[in-house]
Amino acid sequence: MNRGFGDWDGSIEDAKRLQRQLAEQVVLRDDFADPPRWLAGFDVGFEQEGAITRAAAVLLDAESLLPVASEVARVDTTMPYVPGLLSFRELPALLAALDRLPHVPDLVFVDGQGIAHPRRLGIAAHFGVATGLPAIGVAKKVLCGRHEAPGPSPGDRTALIHRGERIGWMLRSKARCNPLVVSPGHRVSMDSAVDWVLRTLRGYRLPEPTRLADRIASRRGDLLG
DNA sequence: GCGACAG
DNA sequence: ATCTTGTCGC
């Protein structure tokens, strides 16, 4: 394919048109190695007052959840942050980081929404369609949709609904912590999306793939501590 | 028209 | 996202 932006002309309106077009290509069924061998987590941070976009990619062994590699890619920031168009700002850096990993992951976790998006193409879904890789979106806040508050225990969840459609889950990953917004991105079912987030938790609010990528992208240190 | 609004 | 230490609550 290209780089994930097809024939986008650079305008806001055309970006939305492309999102609706790419959203039609999203696959919401489980279609990845069973069991997956390699997992990967992705997140973005910024340097120089936002002039540079820094993407972090961490590869983990699916069985042990231990990181086996981590890469950082820096690219010039081109677009401003616009709610609903996040991927147009961050996807280029994420793809650059992906290219640096020593192995192609079997399942990817991206910090942000999957299909829990106004046009069903959050950054995790865009990443999935652009790369063809199975992806799950793990966000810290809701972009759109309504929901009931999930119970207090880890694992408790409620449905996130937008315009009558089921678009994701509100998941309590850890006691006394705000719930996560989990939604499938590509080649992953609604149920597997939450199951995999739960299976990769390590006592923190965020699942390991995203938690580790977060630390690196935000310049807090390496894979230790 | 008004408020909300991933990172 | 980012600027940033201690502090309140469980």
Side-chain angles (χ1 to χ4, degrees):
Chain A
M1 245 157 257
N2 40 67
R3 245 195 352 172
F5 297 111
D7 58 353
W8 179 39
D9 70 10
S11 71
I12 297 299
E13 275 313 305
D14 198 49
K16 295 179 180 178
R17 181 226 98 220
L18 179 57
Q19 290 185 318
R20 283 184 267 259
Q21 180 185 307
L22 294 177
E24 296 177 12
Q25 293 174 48
V26 169
V27 172
L28 296 177
R29 306 186 308 279
D30 288 319
D31 181 27
F32 53 92
D34 177 37
R37 173 78 192 285
W38 305 111
L39 302 183
F42 291 82
D43 190 27
V44 166
F46 295 88
E47 297 177 2
Q48 298 172 33
E49 318 229 310
I52 299 296
T53 299
R54 177 185 57 248
V58 179
L59 189 67
L60 309 82
D61 177 275
E63 190 57 52
S64 66
L65 293 185
L66 293 176
V68 300
S70 67
E71 294 293 336
V72 171
R74 290 166 225 273
V75 306
D76 291 327
T77 301
T78 57
M79 303 223 74
Y81 165 66
V82 179
L85 299 181
L86 181 68
S87 61
F88 288 79
R89 172 179 166 82
E90 306 187 343
L91 189 59
L94 292 181
L95 297 182
L98 168 67
D99 290 337
R100 299 190 177 197
L101 291 179
H103 290 295
V104 175
D106 297 304
L107 181 59
V108 163
F109 295 67
V110 181
D111 188 301
Q113 316 295 345
I115 61 168
H117 176 281
R119 292 167 292 282
R120 309 294 181 264
L121 196 83
I123 191 166
H126 198 159
F127 181 103
V129 171
T131 64
L133 297 176
I136 294 173
V138 182
K140 305 179 196 64
K141 295 178 181 179
V142 169
L143 207 210
C144 69
R146 293 165 45 67
H147 64 85
E148 298 287 293
S153 305
D156 286 346
R157 73 205 67 170
T158 55
L160 177 60
I161 295 171
H162 179 59
R163 295 181 182 176
E165 287 179 42
R166 181 60 165 296
I167 60 174
W169 304 91
M170 290 309 290
L171 173 69
R172 182 129 276 148
S173 55
K174 180 179 179 179
R176 300 182 301 287
C177 283
N178 292 320
L180 296 178
V181 187
V182 178
S183 62
H186 187 50
R187 297 173 61 183
V188 177
S189 67
M190 194 64 80
D191 289 341
S192 290
V194 235
D195 290 343
W196 274 94
V197 167
L198 286 172
R199 291 180 57 171
T200 53
L201 288 174
R202 279 286 168 128
Y204 296 93
R205 180 160 86 120
L206 300 177
E208 280 304 275
T210 284
R211 189 180 77 83
L212 295 177
D214 245 57
R215 307 193 51 165
I216 298 173
S218 300
R219 275 210 162 314
R220 276 185 236 170
D222 46 44
L223 302 176
L224 303 178

